[in-house]
Amino acid sequence: MLAIRFDRFGGPEVLTPVDVPAPEPGPGDVLIAVEAAGVNFADVLQADGSYLDASLLPYVPGGEVVGRTPDGRRVLAKATGGYAEWALAKESALVEVPEELDAARALALLTQGLTAWHLLRSAARLRDGESVVVHSAAGGVGSLAVQLAREFGAGRVLAQASTPEKERLALELGADEAVRYPLERRADVILDAAGGALFAHALDSLADFGRLVTYGNASRTAFAALDPGRLGRLNAAVVGFWLRPTLARPGAFAEPLAELFDLTLRGRLRPVAGPSYPLTEARTAHADLLARRTTGKIVLRP
């Protein structure tokens, strides 16, 4: 089968098309014929060595797929080796996907959708009427967080994005305003995956009892040490969030995903489908993601 593999760490150039045997299912595994594989920033971090130990090389990335099981079910799955024509997933990690939901939108609801849902519900614990600032508001997580914040009762949803085009997309998705720092009014909740200067601006922009939720460091800038005394003076909190351990909690996976499917099929949530690349162009997909040339969910198609 065709797969994308890397045998050393580095940038997009390490991603190489190879011909390898299809994976062999073990106990509890299901072999999936891949319709589309999602591309995530975590895949970039795997390729550059931030997430993986060298002992795991060579490695086929790709943690999420839409595809068909041998018995004909169309499923969305947390998978291993998704950048390939065939991938493996645990039966317990499969969710059936309605035929009317295209692969890109379904994939957007898995990692990005669940991240946005838990950022607002589990980490920020958003309350009715509160103001929310979403960084990277046209990205995979941000575009969904803008919409879900409104759905979950936010009073005002403010979008921060890197270009006027991305700001316009966030406004189309329901943001009340596109903002730059410093903010005119302090915010109750700020969602940040960028780190660096944006994190520092956000921390200084929290209202009393505000929550700054950090869930990434796309700027690749070292975080400064947080002084608890400063948080006390701000009367605010910094909340860290990571999806992987969150999904191990009871009720944290299937139930939120079912809500996201329902909202999408009823037209209340619009997952943004980004560019679709042939599997052999995985290098280009990673390069475009790193250069912030994309919006919405990026997918690879075998």
Side-chain angles (χ1 to χ4, degrees), residues 29 32 40 53 92 101 142 147-148 152 164 168 174 185 190 205 209-210 221 224 229 241 258 264 285-286:
D29 290 336
I32 299 172
N40 294 302
D53 185 89
S92 58
L101 188 60
Q147 299 173 74
L148 289 175
F152 295 165
R168 283 195 291 272
R185 287 186 290 176
I190 302 177
S205 303
F209 301 106
T221 303
F241 175 80
T264 301
H286 276 217

Side-chain angles (χ1 to χ4, degrees), residues 117-136:
W117 193 99
H118 280 291
L119 284 171
L120 293 163
R121 290 291 202 205
S122 305
R125 301 187 181 186
L126 178 67
R127 295 187 289 267
D128 285 349
E130 289 189 315
S131 58
V132 178
V133 177
V134 180
H135 292 175
S136 306

Side-chain angles (χ1 to χ4, degrees), residues 19 28 36 46 53 68 87 118 131 143 219 226 228 248 282:
D19 186 18
Q46 287 179 340
D53 185 89
R68 296 276 179 187
H118 280 291
S131 58
S143 61
S219 69
L226 273 175

Side-chain angles (χ1 to χ4, degrees), residues 191-209:
L191 307 181
D192 173 57
L198 274 179
F199 179 89
H201 288 311
L203 187 58
D204 287 331
S205 303
L206 289 173
D208 276 357
F209 301 106

Side-chain angles (χ1 to χ4, degrees), residues 63-86:
E64 55 183 29
V65 300
V66 167
R68 296 276 179 187
T69 62
D71 59 4
R73 290 174 292 160
R74 185 170 185 255
V75 296
L76 174 66
K78 299 291 281 185
T80 56
Y83 285 19
E85 293 178 306
W86 296 87

Side-chain angles (χ1 to χ4, degrees), residues 5 56 130 152 213 216 219-220 235 286 295:
R5 192 174 70 186
L56 295 174
E130 289 189 315
F152 295 165
V213 184
S219 69
R220 315 300 289 273
N235 217 16
H286 276 217
T295 57

Side-chain angles (χ1 to χ4, degrees), residues 138 160-169 180 292 295:
Q160 192 284 328
S162 58
T163 68
E165 293 77 17
K166 292 182 177 183
E167 290 176 344
R168 283 195 291 272
L169 174 59
R180 304 289 176 90
R292 305 182 74 176
T295 57

Side-chain angles (χ1 to χ4, degrees), residues 1-4 18-23 31 60 81 83-87:
M1 71 170 186
L2 175 66
I4 300 297
V18 294
D19 186 18
V20 296
L31 188 63
V60 177
Y83 285 19
E85 293 178 306
W86 296 87

